[in-house]
Amino acid sequence: MQTTATPTHCPYCALQCGMNLTPAPDGTVEVSERTDFPVNRGALCGKGRTAPAVLASNVRLTSPLVRDGGELVPASWDEALDRITEGLRRTRAEYGPDGVGVFGGGGLTNEKAYTLGKFARVVLGTSQIDYNGRFCMSSAAAAGIKAFGLDRGLPFPLEDIPKTGCVILVGSNLAETMPPSLRFLTELKENGGTLVVIDPRRTKTAEQADLHLAPRPGTDLALALGLLHLVIAEGRVDEEYVRERTAGWEDARAAAMAHWPEYVERITGVSVPELRETVRLFCEPESAMVLTARGPEQQSKGTDTVGAWINLCLATGRAGRPLSGYGCLTGQGNGQGGREHGQKADQLPGYRKLDDPAARRHVADVWGVDPDSLPGPGRSAYELLDALGTDIKSLLLMASNPVVSAPRAAHIEERIKSLDFLAVCDVVLSETAALADVVLPVTQWAEETGTTTSLEGRVLLRRQAITPPDGVRSDLEVMHELAARLGVEKGFPTDPEEIFEELRRASAGGPADYSGITYRRIVEENGVFWPCPAVEPEGLTGDQDGAGGPDAQRGAAGRPASTETEATVGVAHPGTPRLFLDRFATPDGRARFVPVSHRAIAEEPDDEYPVLLTTGRVVAQYQSGAQTRRVAELNAAAPGPFVELHPRLAARLGAAEGDPVAVVSRRGRAVAPARITDTIRPDTVFMPFHWPGEGRANSLTNPALDPTSRMPEFKACAVRLEAVRP
C-alpha cells in the first residue's frame, strides 16, 4: 500500500487549496499541510481537513442501485448500465434527442465536464444540457463578456489583493465561504489598504471591514450607480483612461447621473455620508479592486448589477491596470472550467459559442463529426429542470443535487419525480439520487486524477492518492460504457490525460485557450493560468488581432512590448496570470461601458409577505450538503438550518432564541429554529441552504431569471414569518 504523501487539492470550493494526502495503515487517509501552494500556504478550513471522511465505505456508495418494486436495490454494473442504455434509447426513439436531458455539476473535473458535453451532443444528440454552475457566477460571466470580451473569475492572482489600496467586497462572506482566503484581506489592511464590505448582514467578514454598508437585499445595482454618480459629481473620473481604453461612456454616465445620492439612500438604506466615504476610500489610492460574489449576482438583474460595478471600475481607471480591477469570486470547485469546456447550454470547449459556425467547425473537426450534426443551444439550468416530465422525459444527472439546491425546490422535486427515467452518478445517495431509477457509484477526488480551474483562472491537477473501493468506477468509465452501448465505440477514452490532450486541441484558439497547458507543466509550475496558447506567436505586440485568438489573449497578458521581439515560433507561452494590461479582449481592445438603471427585484415585499428573505452558506457546510452533512465534525459545528432575524422582528413575532419559526413565500414553507441577532437588517431574514426537508430554504426562493444570464433570483424574495406553537 502506498504510504507516501500525494500533493493534490481540496474537493470543495474554487480556492482549490493545496493539501497532501497519505493513506494510513488503518485504511483512512490523512490530510497534511502543503505549504508550497500560494493560495492557502498550507491553511485549510474544516471542510478541507475532514474531506477524507466521505471516502469511507460506510458513508459513500459502493454498488450500483436500481429501482425494483419502488425501492433502490444493489445491482451489477452491467445491469445498471443496460437499464440506463434502455431508458435513454427508449426516450430518444419516442420523443427525439431533445427528450433526453443532461445536467452536470461545477465539481466535475475539466476532463469530465468536457466529456459530458461531448457525450450529450455526439452520443445523445441532445441540446438539453446545462449544469449547476448556472446558479453560481453566470451573471458575472455575462457582465464580464459584455464589458471585457472575456470571462474569467479573477483577472489577476489572489496574491495581488493585499497589494492594492482598497477592496470593495460585494455580497461575499469569505470568512465562512472560503476561510483560507481571508488572510488576503487581513494582509491588505496590514499593508495600509482599506476594506469596504457590502452585505445586509454584519458577517464575520464584515467585522473585518473599515466600512460596512448594509443595503436592503436586491438593491446593489442602485448602490453601484449611486457611487458612480458621486465619482462623476466629485470630479474623480479618470478622463484619460476613459478616453483611451473604453467605449460607451456617455450613455453610462447619463444613466448614473439619474441616481443621485439621496435617491439611492431611499432605495438602499445606505446613508449619503456612507456613500461618500466609500467613494473616497475607493478613489484616493493609486489602485483598487471590486470583488463580487453571489449577493449581487444571484438576482433577476444580476448581469446589470455586476455591470454597474464594472462601470465604476472603468470610470475610475481601475481595470486593466496593475493591482486593480473587477473580479468575481467563483464558488464551486470547478465552476470556471465546468462552463469553459461544454457543460453550459450554449457553449463548446474553449469557451466557444455553440451558435458560432467557425466554433462548431473547429470542435466538430476535433471530434470527428459533421458540424451540422451538433445540436444548437438548449435551455438554461432552471428552465431545463422546469421542463422535466413535459418536454424532457429522461435525465442523466452527474454531481448535482437540485432537490436541495434549485430555486422553488418543491416544484423541481415534483418535476424530477414526473420523469419517465432518471439516472444519477454520485458519490453518495443524495436527495436527488434517492429518486432515481438507476444510481451509479463513482470515484471521488482522492481516487482519480484530473484538472480543475480555480477562481484565479489557474489550471490545477488533482492527483490520485488512493485506490477506489471495489464496485466504484469513474464518470469517464461510465460515459465510455454508455457511449459504446449507444453505438459510439470511439472518442470516449477513460484516461484523463488522454482526454485533456483532446481538450487542448478543442480549446486551441478559443477565448479559454488551454492548448499550451500540459499535466507536466501544471505540476512543474504549480498551475498554469489560461489563456495559454500552445506557442508564443512571432513578433506580435498584442494589438494586431481581435478577441478570441491567441494574439488577443497574449496582448491581454500585458507583457512589456520590449519582450515581444524575443518571441519566436515554438517558444512556450507562459500563461496569463494578469489579463487586460495591454488591451481588453474586444475587437478594438477597448472595454465597454454598459448603461444600466436601477429596477426592483422580481418580488417586492407587500402586506401579505412583508419581509425579505436572503440565503447563503455557513462555514461548516457546503452547497446542498450532500457530502458535508455526512461528516460528524461538520455536523457538530452546523447541525441544521436556522432562521436569522433581528430582535425587533422576533419581538413582533413573539419568538425567542431557538423557537421554531415558519418562513412562508408564494412557493412554499420552511420551518427552522430562530437565531436572533442584531447583525441583520430588521426588514430581512437569512436562511442557509444546505439542508433538505422541513428546513429547506430553497422551498422559498424565487426562480425569476436574469434575462441575459438566466440566473435565478436566490438572494431576495418576499416572505412572511409565522410562530410555530406546540
Side-chain angles (χ1 to χ4, degrees):
M1 182 184 73
Q2 176 186 340
T3 57
T4 57
T6 299
T8 188
H9 296 272
C10 178
Y12 290 115
C13 81
L15 287 181
Q16 290 294 280
C17 291
M19 58 169 61
N20 289 313
L21 295 182
T22 307
D26 62 359
T28 61
V29 179
E30 296 178 353
V31 174
S32 59
E33 290 187 358
R34 181 183 164 193
T35 56
D36 67 308
F37 189 59
V39 169
N40 64 310
R41 302 177 199 164
L44 293 170
C45 72
K47 295 186 292 292
R49 286 188 297 98
T50 61
V54 187
L55 297 168
S57 58
N58 63 338
V59 173
R60 52 95 59 81
L61 294 168
T62 57
S63 170
L65 303 173
V66 299
R67 194 162 296 280
D68 185 7
E71 300 293 327
L72 286 172
V73 298
S76 70
W77 270 93
D78 279 339
E79 180 184 359
L81 290 168
D82 286 345
R83 285 207 190 189
I84 296 174
T85 302
E86 176 57 28
L88 299 179
R89 183 179 285 137
R90 184 174 59 246
T91 297
R92 292 176 68 213
E94 187 170 353
Y95 299 101
D98 279 357
V100 177
V102 176
F103 199 86
L108 294 176
T109 62
N110 288 318
E111 293 81 0
K112 292 180 181 181
Y114 172 85
T115 303
L116 186 61
K118 181 180 179 181
F119 180 86
R121 295 176 174 110
V122 172
V123 178
L124 299 177
T126 183
S127 66
Q128 301 303 304
I129 175 173
D130 211 86
Y131 82 127
N132 62 17
R134 178 79 69 168
F135 300 157
C136 178
M137 58 174 286
S138 57
S139 292
I145 291 170
K146 284 185 177 184
F148 307 131
L150 187 71
D151 154 44
R152 195 179 84 183
L154 294 179
F156 40 72
L158 284 161
E159 66 187 32
D160 284 2
I161 292 175
K163 304 170 188 174
T164 193
C166 175
V167 170
I168 298 180
L169 187 63
V170 190
S172 173
N173 182 14
L174 285 177
E176 297 203 57
T177 59
M178 297 178 173
S181 69
L182 190 63
R183 68 174 176 80
F184 293 108
L185 301 181
T186 302
E187 291 173 10
L188 166 76
K189 297 185 65 177
E190 290 173 350
N191 292 339
T194 56
L195 174 64
V196 178
V197 172
I198 298 171
D199 197 304
R201 305 163 61 221
R202 192 170 74 247
T203 63
K204 291 180 180 179
T205 307
E207 290 173 354
Q208 309 299 315
D210 297 281
L211 179 62
H212 171 219
L213 309 182
R216 186 172 177 266
T219 63
D220 310 271
L221 174 53
L223 180 59
L225 287 163
L227 296 175
L228 182 53
H229 177 110
L230 286 171
V231 165
I232 298 166
E234 295 178 3
R236 296 181 184 269
V237 175
D238 188 332
E239 300 286 357
E240 181 180 1
Y241 174 94
V242 168
R243 182 172 58 254
E244 294 183 355
R245 298 205 60 190
T246 72
W249 168 234
E250 290 306 319
D251 288 342
R253 182 184 187 280
M257 292 310 291
H259 297 76
W260 60 94
E262 292 76 14
Y263 172 57
V264 170
E265 181 182 67
R266 290 198 301 272
I267 294 170
T268 65
V270 176
S271 71
V272 173
E274 288 176 313
L275 295 173
R276 294 188 183 279
E277 178 64 2
T278 302
V279 168
R280 185 188 70 80
L281 292 174
F282 186 67
C283 291
E284 286 190 353
E286 289 187 8
S287 58
M289 299 174 180
V290 171
L291 305 177
T292 68
R294 307 301 80 76
E297 298 163 17
Q298 288 181 326
Q299 298 182 27
S300 60
K301 52 185 174 177
T303 302
D304 284 358
T305 301
V306 173
W309 289 104
I310 291 175
N311 286 349
L312 179 67
C313 290
L314 294 176
T316 53
R318 306 300 203 188
R321 282 180 168 171
L323 306 180
S324 288
Y326 163 77
C328 166
L329 299 167
T330 310
Q332 294 191 78
N334 198 31
Q336 183 74 46
R339 69 179 177 282
E340 289 169 4
H341 299 301
Q343 283 191 99
K344 196 160 169 277
D346 59 349
Q347 286 177 193
L348 288 169
Y351 221 131
R352 288 179 159 91
K353 300 299 290 183
L354 188 55
D355 56 5
D356 176 1
R360 293 169 67 88
R361 283 194 303 272
H362 175 88
V363 174
D365 183 61
V366 173
W367 288 350
V369 300
D370 184 341
D372 293 337
S373 70
L374 299 179
R379 293 175 172 89
S380 70
Y382 180 80
E383 292 165 304
L384 188 157
L385 295 172
D386 190 41
L388 299 180
T390 54
D391 294 337
I392 300 172
K393 299 295 186 178
S394 292
L395 182 68
L396 174 63
L397 184 144
M398 288 186 174
S400 187
N401 189 17
V403 165
V404 178
S405 64
R408 198 185 172 196
H411 169 73
I412 296 304
E413 182 176 355
E414 290 305 311
R415 299 276 20 101
I416 290 172
K417 290 178 178 177
S418 73
L419 283 164
D420 292 352
F421 182 79
L422 171 64
V424 173
C425 299
D426 211 331
V427 299
V428 296
L429 190 66
S430 70
E431 287 72 23
T432 305
L435 303 177
D437 297 284
V438 179
V439 182
L440 299 181
V442 291
T443 50
Q444 298 186 53
W445 58 290
E447 302 163 347
E448 60 188 10
T449 294
T451 60
T452 62
T453 305
S454 75
L455 78 170
E456 302 176 294
R458 189 196 303 249
V459 184
L460 304 165
L461 185 65
R462 288 187 194 160
R463 281 171 274 197
Q464 183 177 352
I466 60 172
T467 301
D470 293 339
V472 174
R473 299 184 185 180
S474 77
D475 295 290
L476 298 178
E477 291 176 287
V478 169
M479 287 183 278
H480 171 84
E481 291 290 338
L482 289 176
R485 281 169 162 79
L486 290 166
V488 181
E489 297 286 346
K490 297 181 179 180
F492 290 88
T494 59
D495 176 56
E497 188 167 9
E498 183 179 348
I499 295 169
F500 190 79
E501 290 301 304
E502 182 178 303
L503 182 157
R504 292 175 61 203
R505 298 195 304 275
S507 72
D513 191 335
Y514 283 32
S515 61
I517 304 174
T518 64
Y519 276 24
R520 178 187 57 78
R521 281 193 65 182
I522 295 171
V523 172
E524 291 177 353
E525 300 172 31
N526 231 340
V528 181
F529 292 84
W530 73 260
C532 183
V535 294
E536 288 274 18
E538 184 176 4
L540 291 173
T541 61
D543 60 359
Q544 298 182 21
D545 288 285
D551 304 346
Q553 304 303 351
R554 185 164 191 277
R559 300 182 68 210
S562 61
T563 68
E564 300 294 343
T565 56
E566 300 168 10
T568 59
V569 173
V571 175
H573 190 285
T576 315
R578 296 169 182 86
L579 294 166
F580 313 138
L581 296 182
D582 290 341
R583 56 176 288 130
F584 295 95
T586 57
D588 60 4
R590 292 173 174 264
R592 302 287 191 265
F593 283 98
V594 179
V596 294
S597 296
H598 167 71
R599 62 182 187 275
I601 59 174
E603 186 180 69
E604 288 282 358
D606 55 21
D607 291 342
E608 187 177 2
Y609 300 94
V611 178
L612 281 167
L613 168 72
T614 192
T615 63
R617 287 169 48 188
V618 296
V619 66
Q621 301 289 352
Y622 182 73
Q623 303 300 76
S624 75
Q627 295 182 52
T628 51
R629 284 187 276 110
R630 288 168 165 80
V631 180
E633 180 180 328
L634 301 179
N635 280 335
F642 56 86
V643 181
E644 186 176 284
L645 67 164
H646 192 274
R648 276 186 273 168
L649 195 53
R652 289 201 298 271
L653 188 64
E657 180 75 16
D659 285 352
V661 171
V663 184
V664 183
S665 77
R666 290 178 173 86
R667 290 154 296 281
R669 184 175 191 265
V671 178
R675 182 173 293 183
I676 301 171
T677 174
D678 63 1
T679 60
I680 191 169
R681 290 175 56 96
D683 59 1
T684 300
V685 295
F686 167 83
M687 289 188 71
F689 53 65
H690 309 291
W691 287 273
E694 187 179 50
R696 181 173 59 185
N698 278 320
S699 295
L700 310 168
T701 48
N702 192 350
L705 301 180
D706 180 286
T708 302
S709 68
R710 316 309 287 169
M711 168 75 85
E713 191 153 62
F714 287 99
K715 287 302 179 188
C717 69
V719 298
R720 68 171 181 265
L721 304 184
E722 298 174 353
V724 178
R725 305 303 180 195

